[in-house]
Amino acid sequence: MSFSGMVKEELSKRIGSARHCQIAELAAIFSACGHMECTSGGEQKLRIQTENDAVSRKCFTILKKTFNIETDITVRESSHLKKGSVYGISLSNPADVRELLEAAKLLPDGDNGGMLRVGNSIVYQRDCCKRAFIRGAFLSSGSISDPRKGYHFEIVCTDEEKAGQLQEIIRSFHIDAKIVSRKKSYVVYVKEGAQIVDMLAIMEANVALMDLENIRILKEMRNSVNRKVNCETANINKTVSAAVKQIEDIRLIEEKVGFQSLNEGLEEVARLRLQYPEATLKELGMMLTPQVGKSGVNHRLRKLSTLAEKLRENKEELL
């Protein structure tokens, strides 16, 4: 099962204890994948259709628990590439339909062929109801990427108004949710790892949250180790390159003018560098008599480098 599937499976078993939270979650589910139909007798009928059995089970449970509405779950093979199943729940009793529409503040969306929308923010006025609403929206039409590959959390909405409504609810928890248009849908998404952790906490997917945090810690540790190794490698390469250049300069001086032309301090550091090509500046300083600090050794090596450059320039002039 994918990480997204595991999150949804966990959320399908999480039902708010308060009735108003259950209604808020049900409102989000019907807004995401519910439709209103009219029977031949002119009566209203509500129907949910989803390819996720977790959604159908959650909807069935809340309808029974909150409204004491008995309904059946129908299952048929998906016509989309003949892959998977489609789960449906129908409410045909007029009294049940009216009770649900009134409680969840659901209204038919005339521009979207029988789809529903939440017409009053009182449904998710409390923070606990906002959590339930986000949970229902994600369960119905959301997904989350495998955190071992990357961080991406999204909920697909059928229109811009629903996306804006959901974005406002998520942002009330200080999470920077953004909206992007994708084909005929609008996607509310979060990409930053820490904020996706917060989203799981908001929806109360505690097991998934711990799994994600463990993965994030491991990734951060690996990244930290890689940064340190890269830094140390760069420093070693820099030290080796500098030492190679210093040795070239010193050999040029020895060949052209000899060490006897140098003062005692420069001669001593020149001989030590040739003798210990891999030594650091600090180690070279400790070998000198008297001992000299890193900056002192570096100053002497720079003088040797300057002298070598002058010898090279004189050679070029003679040519």
Side-chain angles (χ1 to χ4, degrees):
M1 184 183 293
S2 67
F3 185 78
S4 188
M6 288 188 291
V7 174
K8 290 189 176 186
E9 186 63 29
E10 181 181 356
L11 292 179
S12 70
K13 300 170 184 174
R14 177 72 179 89
I15 298 177
S17 57
R19 187 174 189 270
H20 47 76
C21 294
Q22 296 166 10
I23 292 173
E25 187 165 0
L26 203 58
I29 294 173
F30 270 90
S31 178
C33 55
H35 292 79
M36 179 181 287
E37 303 171 358
C38 287
T39 64
S40 56
E43 296 289 351
Q44 291 179 329
K45 179 179 178 181
L46 292 182
R47 180 174 175 79
I48 278 182
Q49 187 168 292
T50 176
E51 294 182 358
N52 189 337
D53 67 322
V55 177
S56 61
R57 283 188 279 114
K58 187 71 169 284
C59 187
F60 176 88
T61 302
I62 297 179
L63 285 172
K64 174 63 178 173
K65 186 178 180 68
T66 310
F67 297 98
N68 197 29
I69 295 176
E70 292 283 358
T71 185
D72 294 323
I73 298 177
T74 60
V75 184
R76 64 175 175 81
E77 186 177 294
S78 174
S79 59
H80 180 64
L81 300 179
K82 296 184 178 180
K83 184 178 181 181
S85 300
V86 175
Y87 303 87
I89 292 180
S90 296
L91 276 71
S92 55
N93 184 301
D96 292 340
V97 172
R98 283 195 298 270
E99 184 181 9
L100 177 58
L101 291 176
E102 174 59 30
K105 307 303 179 189
L106 290 166
L107 299 173
D109 193 339
D111 296 330
N112 284 302
M115 296 191 71
L116 299 165
R117 61 183 177 85
V118 178
N120 194 324
S121 62
I122 195 171
V123 174
Y124 47 81
Q125 193 169 25
R126 299 178 176 91
D127 279 351
C128 57
C129 293
K130 290 177 182 177
R131 295 173 184 273
F133 191 92
I134 295 170
R135 183 165 59 241
F138 177 80
L139 192 61
S140 303
S141 56
S143 64
I144 182 170
S145 63
D146 186 338
R148 287 168 292 191
K149 299 177 181 178
Y151 300 121
H152 185 81
F153 174 102
E154 70 175 36
I155 299 175
V156 180
C157 301
T158 54
D159 59 62
E160 191 172 7
E161 183 181 349
K162 289 180 181 178
Q165 182 184 52
L166 184 59
Q167 181 190 44
E168 182 182 352
I169 295 171
I170 294 174
R171 284 188 169 180
S172 70
F173 292 99
H174 309 290
I175 292 177
D176 186 25
K178 294 182 172 62
I179 297 176
V180 64
S181 174
R182 183 188 297 164
K183 296 182 180 179
K184 295 182 179 180
S185 302
Y186 290 84
V187 180
V188 182
Y189 70 94
V190 178
K191 292 192 72 70
E192 204 275 316
Q195 293 203 336
I196 292 176
V197 170
D198 292 339
M199 288 300 302
L200 292 175
I202 288 167
M203 297 188 299
E204 299 176 283
N206 299 321
V207 175
L209 185 153
M210 293 304 298
D211 289 342
L212 177 55
E213 280 287 50
N214 288 336
I215 293 170
R216 285 185 68 228
I217 290 169
L218 287 173
K219 287 177 73 173
E220 287 175 6
M221 287 176 63
R222 288 194 196 100
N223 291 337
S224 178
V225 169
N226 288 337
R227 282 194 298 270
K228 288 180 180 178
V229 169
N230 292 338
C231 184
E232 289 174 2
T233 301
N235 288 337
I236 291 170
N237 291 336
K238 185 178 178 182
T239 300
V240 169
S241 298
V244 169
K245 178 65 167 58
Q246 291 161 7
I247 291 171
E248 288 177 355
D249 292 341
I250 292 169
R251 292 202 183 281
L252 178 65
I253 293 170
E254 182 182 24
E255 178 186 341
K256 296 298 181 183
V257 297
F259 289 155
Q260 67 276 6
S261 64
L262 303 174
N263 63 43
E264 183 178 347
L266 292 181
E267 180 182 357
E268 186 179 11
V269 79
R271 292 186 183 279
L272 281 173
R273 172 49 84 199
L274 290 178
Q275 187 176 356
Y276 302 100
E278 297 178 359
T280 63
L281 297 182
K282 183 178 180 180
E283 290 169 343
L284 288 176
M286 294 178 68
M287 297 177 195
L288 294 171
T289 306
Q291 292 184 354
V292 177
K294 285 173 60 178
S295 60
V297 175
N298 186 53
H299 179 68
R300 294 184 187 184
L301 289 170
R302 288 178 65 182
K303 279 191 171 182
L304 291 170
S305 178
T306 301
L307 177 57
E309 288 301 321
K310 288 181 179 179
L311 291 173
R312 290 188 183 96
E313 289 174 3
N314 289 340
K315 181 179 179 181
E316 289 176 1
E317 289 176 3
L318 290 174
L319 293 173

Short mmCIF file of all heavy atoms in Angstrom, two decimals, residues 63-118:
data_model
loop_
_atom_site.label_atom_id
_atom_site.label_comp_id
_atom_site.label_asym_id
_atom_site.label_seq_id
_atom_site.Cartn_x
_atom_site.Cartn_y
_atom_site.Cartn_z
N LEU A 63 -23.02 8.43 8.72
CA LEU A 63 -24.47 8.53 8.48
C LEU A 63 -25.25 7.73 9.52
O LEU A 63 -26.28 8.19 10.04
CB LEU A 63 -24.82 8.02 7.08
CG LEU A 63 -24.48 8.95 5.91
CD1 LEU A 63 -24.68 8.23 4.59
CD2 LEU A 63 -25.33 10.22 5.96
N LYS A 64 -24.73 6.55 9.85
CA LYS A 64 -25.40 5.71 10.85
C LYS A 64 -25.23 6.30 12.25
O LYS A 64 -26.20 6.39 13.02
CB LYS A 64 -24.81 4.29 10.78
CG LYS A 64 -25.31 3.35 11.86
CD LYS A 64 -26.80 3.11 11.76
CE LYS A 64 -27.25 2.12 12.84
NZ LYS A 64 -28.74 1.99 12.86
N LYS A 65 -24.02 6.73 12.56
CA LYS A 65 -23.71 7.20 13.90
C LYS A 65 -24.35 8.55 14.21
O LYS A 65 -24.84 8.80 15.30
CB LYS A 65 -22.18 7.31 14.05
CG LYS A 65 -21.68 7.65 15.45
CD LYS A 65 -20.16 7.69 15.47
CE LYS A 65 -19.62 8.01 16.84
NZ LYS A 65 -19.85 6.93 17.82
N THR A 66 -24.36 9.45 13.22
CA THR A 66 -24.81 10.82 13.45
C THR A 66 -26.30 11.02 13.17
O THR A 66 -26.99 11.73 13.90
CB THR A 66 -24.00 11.80 12.56
OG1 THR A 66 -22.61 11.53 12.73
CG2 THR A 66 -24.26 13.24 12.95
N PHE A 67 -26.78 10.41 12.08
CA PHE A 67 -28.17 10.64 11.68
C PHE A 67 -29.05 9.39 11.79
O PHE A 67 -30.24 9.46 11.50
CB PHE A 67 -28.21 11.14 10.23
CG PHE A 67 -27.55 12.47 10.03
CD1 PHE A 67 -26.24 12.54 9.56
CD2 PHE A 67 -28.22 13.65 10.33
CE1 PHE A 67 -25.62 13.76 9.38
CE2 PHE A 67 -27.60 14.88 10.14
CZ PHE A 67 -26.30 14.94 9.67
N ASN A 68 -28.43 8.28 12.17
CA ASN A 68 -29.15 7.00 12.25
C ASN A 68 -29.81 6.67 10.91
O ASN A 68 -30.95 6.20 10.86
CB ASN A 68 -30.20 7.03 13.37
CG ASN A 68 -30.67 5.64 13.75
OD1 ASN A 68 -29.91 4.67 13.62
ND2 ASN A 68 -31.90 5.53 14.21
N ILE A 69 -29.08 6.96 9.84
CA ILE A 69 -29.57 6.69 8.49
C ILE A 69 -28.99 5.36 8.01
O ILE A 69 -27.77 5.18 7.97
CB ILE A 69 -29.18 7.81 7.51
CG1 ILE A 69 -29.88 9.12 7.90
CG2 ILE A 69 -29.54 7.42 6.07
CD1 ILE A 69 -29.47 10.31 7.05
N GLU A 70 -29.84 4.44 7.69
CA GLU A 70 -29.41 3.14 7.17
C GLU A 70 -29.30 3.24 5.65
O GLU A 70 -30.22 3.70 4.98
CB GLU A 70 -30.43 2.06 7.55
CG GLU A 70 -30.50 1.76 9.04
CD GLU A 70 -29.34 0.90 9.52
OE1 GLU A 70 -28.49 0.51 8.69
OE2 GLU A 70 -29.28 0.62 10.73
N THR A 71 -28.18 2.80 5.12
CA THR A 71 -27.99 2.82 3.67
C THR A 71 -27.11 1.65 3.26
O THR A 71 -26.50 0.99 4.12
CB THR A 71 -27.34 4.15 3.21
OG1 THR A 71 -27.29 4.18 1.79
CG2 THR A 71 -25.95 4.31 3.79
N ASP A 72 -27.04 1.39 1.99
CA ASP A 72 -26.22 0.30 1.48
C ASP A 72 -25.06 0.85 0.68
O ASP A 72 -25.14 1.93 0.10
CB ASP A 72 -27.06 -0.63 0.59
CG ASP A 72 -28.14 -1.34 1.37
OD1 ASP A 72 -27.86 -1.71 2.54
OD2 ASP A 72 -29.24 -1.50 0.84
N ILE A 73 -23.98 0.08 0.65
CA ILE A 73 -22.83 0.42 -0.18
C ILE A 73 -22.87 -0.47 -1.42
O ILE A 73 -22.87 -1.70 -1.32
CB ILE A 73 -21.50 0.21 0.56
CG1 ILE A 73 -21.44 1.13 1.80
CG2 ILE A 73 -20.31 0.48 -0.36
CD1 ILE A 73 -20.18 0.93 2.63
N THR A 74 -22.95 0.14 -2.59
CA THR A 74 -22.94 -0.63 -3.83
C THR A 74 -21.52 -0.65 -4.40
O THR A 74 -20.76 0.30 -4.23
CB THR A 74 -23.89 -0.01 -4.86
OG1 THR A 74 -23.48 1.33 -5.14
CG2 THR A 74 -25.31 0.01 -4.33
N VAL A 75 -21.20 -1.73 -5.06
CA VAL A 75 -19.86 -1.88 -5.64
C VAL A 75 -20.00 -2.33 -7.09
O VAL A 75 -20.76 -3.26 -7.40
CB VAL A 75 -19.02 -2.93 -4.87
CG1 VAL A 75 -17.61 -2.98 -5.44
CG2 VAL A 75 -18.98 -2.61 -3.39
N ARG A 76 -19.29 -1.65 -7.97
CA ARG A 76 -19.26 -2.07 -9.38
C ARG A 76 -17.85 -1.87 -9.92
O ARG A 76 -17.05 -1.13 -9.36
CB ARG A 76 -20.27 -1.27 -10.21
CG ARG A 76 -19.99 0.21 -10.29
CD ARG A 76 -20.97 0.90 -11.22
NE ARG A 76 -20.80 2.36 -11.24
CZ ARG A 76 -19.87 2.99 -11.95
NH1 ARG A 76 -19.01 2.29 -12.70
NH2 ARG A 76 -19.77 4.31 -11.92
N GLU A 77 -17.57 -2.53 -11.02
CA GLU A 77 -16.24 -2.42 -11.63
C GLU A 77 -16.09 -1.06 -12.29
O GLU A 77 -17.00 -0.54 -12.94
CB GLU A 77 -16.05 -3.52 -12.67
CG GLU A 77 -14.64 -3.57 -13.24
CD GLU A 77 -14.46 -4.72 -14.22
OE1 GLU A 77 -14.53 -5.89 -13.77
OE2 GLU A 77 -14.29 -4.46 -15.41
N SER A 78 -14.92 -0.45 -12.11
CA SER A 78 -14.67 0.86 -12.70
C SER A 78 -14.58 0.75 -14.22
O SER A 78 -13.97 -0.17 -14.76
CB SER A 78 -13.36 1.44 -12.14
OG SER A 78 -13.04 2.64 -12.82
N SER A 79 -15.20 1.71 -14.90
CA SER A 79 -15.13 1.73 -16.36
C SER A 79 -13.84 2.38 -16.85
O SER A 79 -13.50 2.30 -18.03
CB SER A 79 -16.33 2.51 -16.93
OG SER A 79 -16.33 3.84 -16.43
N HIS A 80 -13.14 3.01 -15.93
CA HIS A 80 -11.89 3.68 -16.28
C HIS A 80 -10.76 2.66 -16.39
O HIS A 80 -10.24 2.19 -15.39
CB HIS A 80 -11.54 4.73 -15.23
CG HIS A 80 -10.26 5.47 -15.52
ND1 HIS A 80 -10.10 6.28 -16.63
CD2 HIS A 80 -9.08 5.50 -14.86
CE1 HIS A 80 -8.88 6.79 -16.62
NE2 HIS A 80 -8.25 6.33 -15.56
N LEU A 81 -10.42 2.30 -17.61
CA LEU A 81 -9.37 1.29 -17.88
C LEU A 81 -9.67 -0.05 -17.22
O LEU A 81 -8.77 -0.87 -17.05
CB LEU A 81 -8.00 1.82 -17.40
CG LEU A 81 -7.53 3.12 -18.05
CD1 LEU A 81 -6.18 3.53 -17.46
CD2 LEU A 81 -7.40 2.97 -19.57
N LYS A 82 -10.96 -0.24 -16.80
CA LYS A 82 -11.37 -1.49 -16.16
C LYS A 82 -10.46 -1.87 -15.00
O LYS A 82 -10.07 -3.02 -14.81
CB LYS A 82 -11.40 -2.64 -17.19
CG LYS A 82 -12.43 -2.44 -18.29
CD LYS A 82 -12.50 -3.62 -19.21
CE LYS A 82 -13.59 -3.41 -20.28
NZ LYS A 82 -13.68 -4.55 -21.20
N LYS A 83 -10.11 -0.84 -14.20
CA LYS A 83 -9.19 -1.07 -13.09
C LYS A 83 -9.85 -0.64 -11.79
O LYS A 83 -10.33 0.48 -11.67
CB LYS A 83 -7.90 -0.28 -13.31
CG LYS A 83 -6.84 -0.52 -12.26
CD LYS A 83 -5.59 0.27 -12.59
CE LYS A 83 -4.50 0.02 -11.55
NZ LYS A 83 -3.27 0.79 -11.84
N GLY A 84 -9.91 -1.54 -10.80
CA GLY A 84 -10.46 -1.20 -9.51
C GLY A 84 -11.98 -1.24 -9.49
O GLY A 84 -12.64 -1.68 -10.43
N SER A 85 -12.52 -0.72 -8.37
CA SER A 85 -13.97 -0.73 -8.19
C SER A 85 -14.47 0.67 -7.86
O SER A 85 -13.71 1.52 -7.40
CB SER A 85 -14.35 -1.69 -7.06
OG SER A 85 -13.91 -3.01 -7.35
N VAL A 86 -15.75 0.88 -8.08
CA VAL A 86 -16.39 2.14 -7.73
C VAL A 86 -17.42 1.83 -6.64
O VAL A 86 -18.24 0.93 -6.79
CB VAL A 86 -17.08 2.79 -8.94
CG1 VAL A 86 -17.86 4.03 -8.51
CG2 VAL A 86 -16.06 3.15 -10.00
N TYR A 87 -17.35 2.60 -5.55
CA TYR A 87 -18.24 2.39 -4.41
C TYR A 87 -19.28 3.52 -4.37
O TYR A 87 -18.93 4.69 -4.57
CB TYR A 87 -17.45 2.37 -3.10
CG TYR A 87 -16.36 1.32 -3.10
CD1 TYR A 87 -15.09 1.62 -3.60
CD2 TYR A 87 -16.60 0.04 -2.60
CE1 TYR A 87 -14.10 0.65 -3.62
CE2 TYR A 87 -15.60 -0.93 -2.60
CZ TYR A 87 -14.35 -0.61 -3.12
OH TYR A 87 -13.37 -1.57 -3.14
N GLY A 88 -20.53 3.16 -4.14
CA GLY A 88 -21.59 4.15 -4.12
C GLY A 88 -22.47 4.04 -2.90
O GLY A 88 -22.71 2.95 -2.38
N ILE A 89 -22.93 5.20 -2.41
CA ILE A 89 -23.90 5.27 -1.31
C ILE A 89 -25.02 6.20 -1.75
O ILE A 89 -24.77 7.31 -2.21
CB ILE A 89 -23.25 5.79 -0.01
CG1 ILE A 89 -22.25 4.77 0.53
CG2 ILE A 89 -24.31 6.10 1.04
CD1 ILE A 89 -21.57 5.21 1.81
N SER A 90 -26.26 5.76 -1.60
CA SER A 90 -27.40 6.58 -2.03
C SER A 90 -28.35 6.83 -0.87
O SER A 90 -28.60 5.94 -0.04
CB SER A 90 -28.16 5.88 -3.16
OG SER A 90 -27.36 5.75 -4.30
N LEU A 91 -28.87 8.04 -0.81
CA LEU A 91 -29.92 8.41 0.14
C LEU A 91 -31.14 8.80 -0.67
O LEU A 91 -31.12 9.80 -1.40
CB LEU A 91 -29.48 9.60 1.01
CG LEU A 91 -28.64 9.31 2.26
CD1 LEU A 91 -27.23 8.89 1.84
CD2 LEU A 91 -28.57 10.53 3.15
N SER A 92 -32.18 8.01 -0.57
CA SER A 92 -33.38 8.27 -1.37
C SER A 92 -34.58 8.69 -0.54
O SER A 92 -35.56 9.20 -1.08
CB SER A 92 -33.72 7.04 -2.21
OG SER A 92 -33.85 5.91 -1.38
N ASN A 93 -34.52 8.48 0.78
CA ASN A 93 -35.62 8.87 1.64
C ASN A 93 -35.66 10.40 1.74
O ASN A 93 -34.69 11.02 2.19
CB ASN A 93 -35.45 8.26 3.03
CG ASN A 93 -36.63 8.55 3.94
OD1 ASN A 93 -36.96 9.70 4.20
ND2 ASN A 93 -37.26 7.50 4.45
N PRO A 94 -36.74 11.06 1.33
CA PRO A 94 -36.80 12.52 1.33
C PRO A 94 -36.49 13.16 2.68
O PRO A 94 -35.81 14.18 2.76
CB PRO A 94 -38.24 12.82 0.90
CG PRO A 94 -38.67 11.61 0.13
CD PRO A 94 -37.98 10.47 0.79
N ALA A 95 -36.96 12.53 3.76
CA ALA A 95 -36.71 13.08 5.10
C ALA A 95 -35.22 13.03 5.44
O ALA A 95 -34.66 13.98 6.01
CB ALA A 95 -37.52 12.31 6.14
N ASP A 96 -34.57 11.90 5.09
CA ASP A 96 -33.13 11.77 5.34
C ASP A 96 -32.34 12.80 4.53
O ASP A 96 -31.39 13.40 5.02
CB ASP A 96 -32.66 10.36 4.98
CG ASP A 96 -33.23 9.31 5.92
OD1 ASP A 96 -33.67 9.68 7.03
OD2 ASP A 96 -33.24 8.12 5.54
N VAL A 97 -32.74 12.97 3.28
CA VAL A 97 -32.06 13.92 2.40
C VAL A 97 -32.17 15.34 2.96
O VAL A 97 -31.18 16.07 3.05
CB VAL A 97 -32.63 13.87 0.97
CG1 VAL A 97 -32.05 14.99 0.12
CG2 VAL A 97 -32.33 12.52 0.34
N ARG A 98 -33.38 15.73 3.37
CA ARG A 98 -33.57 17.08 3.90
C ARG A 98 -32.77 17.29 5.19
O ARG A 98 -32.18 18.35 5.39
CB ARG A 98 -35.07 17.32 4.17
CG ARG A 98 -35.89 17.59 2.92
CD ARG A 98 -37.26 18.16 3.29
NE ARG A 98 -38.03 17.21 4.10
CZ ARG A 98 -38.84 16.30 3.60
NH1 ARG A 98 -38.98 16.16 2.28
NH2 ARG A 98 -39.53 15.49 4.40
N GLU A 99 -32.76 16.28 6.05
CA GLU A 99 -32.04 16.40 7.33
C GLU A 99 -30.54 16.59 7.10
O GLU A 99 -29.91 17.43 7.73
CB GLU A 99 -32.28 15.15 8.18
CG GLU A 99 -31.64 15.24 9.57
CD GLU A 99 -31.85 13.99 10.40
OE1 GLU A 99 -32.34 12.98 9.86
OE2 GLU A 99 -31.51 14.03 11.60
N LEU A 100 -30.00 15.81 6.17
CA LEU A 100 -28.56 15.91 5.89
C LEU A 100 -28.22 17.25 5.24
O LEU A 100 -27.25 17.91 5.63
CB LEU A 100 -28.12 14.76 4.99
CG LEU A 100 -26.64 14.77 4.56
CD1 LEU A 100 -25.72 14.75 5.77
CD2 LEU A 100 -26.33 13.61 3.64
N LEU A 101 -29.01 17.66 4.25
CA LEU A 101 -28.75 18.93 3.57
C LEU A 101 -28.79 20.10 4.55
O LEU A 101 -27.97 21.01 4.50
CB LEU A 101 -29.76 19.16 2.45
CG LEU A 101 -29.66 18.23 1.23
CD1 LEU A 101 -30.81 18.53 0.26
CD2 LEU A 101 -28.32 18.40 0.52
N GLU A 102 -29.75 20.07 5.47
CA GLU A 102 -29.90 21.15 6.43
C GLU A 102 -28.75 21.15 7.44
O GLU A 102 -28.16 22.20 7.74
CB GLU A 102 -31.24 21.02 7.17
CG GLU A 102 -31.44 22.02 8.30
CD GLU A 102 -31.37 23.47 7.85
OE1 GLU A 102 -31.72 23.77 6.69
OE2 GLU A 102 -30.96 24.32 8.67
N ALA A 103 -28.41 19.97 7.97
CA ALA A 103 -27.37 19.89 8.99
C ALA A 103 -26.00 20.26 8.44
O ALA A 103 -25.22 20.97 9.08
CB ALA A 103 -27.34 18.48 9.59
N ALA A 104 -25.69 19.77 7.24
CA ALA A 104 -24.36 20.00 6.65
C ALA A 104 -24.30 21.27 5.81
O ALA A 104 -23.27 21.57 5.22
CB ALA A 104 -23.97 18.80 5.79
N LYS A 105 -25.43 21.98 5.73
CA LYS A 105 -25.50 23.24 4.96
C LYS A 105 -25.06 23.01 3.51
O LYS A 105 -24.34 23.83 2.92
CB LYS A 105 -24.64 24.33 5.60
CG LYS A 105 -24.91 24.58 7.07
CD LYS A 105 -26.37 24.93 7.32
CE LYS A 105 -26.64 25.15 8.81
NZ LYS A 105 -28.09 25.30 9.11
N LEU A 106 -25.51 21.91 2.94
CA LEU A 106 -25.15 21.57 1.56
C LEU A 106 -26.17 22.16 0.59
O LEU A 106 -27.38 22.08 0.82
CB LEU A 106 -25.10 20.04 1.40
CG LEU A 106 -23.94 19.33 2.10
CD1 LEU A 106 -24.18 17.83 2.14
CD2 LEU A 106 -22.61 19.64 1.41
N LEU A 107 -25.64 22.72 -0.48
CA LEU A 107 -26.49 23.31 -1.51
C LEU A 107 -26.12 22.73 -2.87
O LEU A 107 -24.95 22.43 -3.13
CB LEU A 107 -26.29 24.83 -1.56
CG LEU A 107 -26.63 25.62 -0.28
CD1 LEU A 107 -26.20 27.06 -0.45
CD2 LEU A 107 -28.11 25.51 0.03
N PRO A 108 -27.10 22.56 -3.75
CA PRO A 108 -26.77 22.09 -5.11
C PRO A 108 -26.02 23.17 -5.86
O PRO A 108 -26.35 24.36 -5.77
CB PRO A 108 -28.14 21.82 -5.73
CG PRO A 108 -29.08 22.67 -4.95
CD PRO A 108 -28.55 22.76 -3.56
N ASP A 109 -25.00 22.77 -6.58
CA ASP A 109 -24.21 23.71 -7.38
C ASP A 109 -24.75 23.69 -8.79
O ASP A 109 -24.48 22.77 -9.57
CB ASP A 109 -22.73 23.31 -7.35
CG ASP A 109 -21.82 24.40 -7.88
OD1 ASP A 109 -22.33 25.27 -8.61
OD2 ASP A 109 -20.63 24.39 -7.55
N GLY A 110 -25.52 24.70 -9.15
CA GLY A 110 -26.19 24.71 -10.45
C GLY A 110 -25.25 24.70 -11.63
O GLY A 110 -25.61 24.26 -12.72
N ASP A 111 -24.01 25.16 -11.43
CA ASP A 111 -23.06 25.23 -12.55
C ASP A 111 -22.32 23.91 -12.76
O ASP A 111 -21.56 23.78 -13.72
CB ASP A 111 -22.03 26.35 -12.29
CG ASP A 111 -22.69 27.72 -12.25
OD1 ASP A 111 -23.71 27.88 -12.92
OD2 ASP A 111 -22.18 28.60 -11.53
N ASN A 112 -22.49 22.95 -11.86
CA ASN A 112 -21.72 21.72 -11.95
C ASN A 112 -22.61 20.48 -11.94
O ASN A 112 -22.27 19.47 -11.33
CB ASN A 112 -20.70 21.65 -10.81
CG ASN A 112 -19.51 22.55 -11.05
OD1 ASN A 112 -18.81 22.43 -12.05
ND2 ASN A 112 -19.29 23.48 -10.14
N GLY A 113 -23.74 20.55 -12.59
CA GLY A 113 -24.57 19.38 -12.83
C GLY A 113 -24.87 18.52 -11.64
O GLY A 113 -24.55 17.33 -11.64
N GLY A 114 -25.47 19.09 -10.60
CA GLY A 114 -25.91 18.30 -9.46
C GLY A 114 -24.89 18.13 -8.37
O GLY A 114 -25.17 17.48 -7.35
N MET A 115 -23.69 18.68 -8.53
CA MET A 115 -22.69 18.56 -7.46
C MET A 115 -23.09 19.47 -6.31
O MET A 115 -23.91 20.39 -6.45
CB MET A 115 -21.30 18.93 -7.99
CG MET A 115 -20.81 17.98 -9.06
SD MET A 115 -19.07 18.20 -9.45
CE MET A 115 -18.31 17.55 -7.96
N LEU A 116 -22.50 19.22 -5.15
CA LEU A 116 -22.88 19.93 -3.94
C LEU A 116 -21.74 20.82 -3.44
O LEU A 116 -20.57 20.57 -3.73
CB LEU A 116 -23.26 18.92 -2.85
CG LEU A 116 -24.44 18.02 -3.17
CD1 LEU A 116 -24.48 16.85 -2.20
CD2 LEU A 116 -25.75 18.79 -3.13
N ARG A 117 -22.10 21.84 -2.70
CA ARG A 117 -21.11 22.69 -2.05
C ARG A 117 -21.61 23.07 -0.67
O ARG A 117 -22.82 23.05 -0.40
CB ARG A 117 -20.84 23.94 -2.88
CG ARG A 117 -22.03 24.85 -3.09
CD ARG A 117 -21.69 26.03 -3.98
NE ARG A 117 -22.84 26.86 -4.26
CZ ARG A 117 -23.28 27.85 -3.46
NH1 ARG A 117 -22.62 28.11 -2.33
NH2 ARG A 117 -24.34 28.56 -3.78
N VAL A 118 -20.69 23.44 0.21
CA VAL A 118 -21.06 23.87 1.56
C VAL A 118 -21.36 25.36 1.51
O VAL A 118 -20.49 26.18 1.20
CB VAL A 118 -19.91 23.59 2.57
CG1 VAL A 118 -20.30 24.07 3.95
CG2 VAL A 118 -19.60 22.09 2.59
#
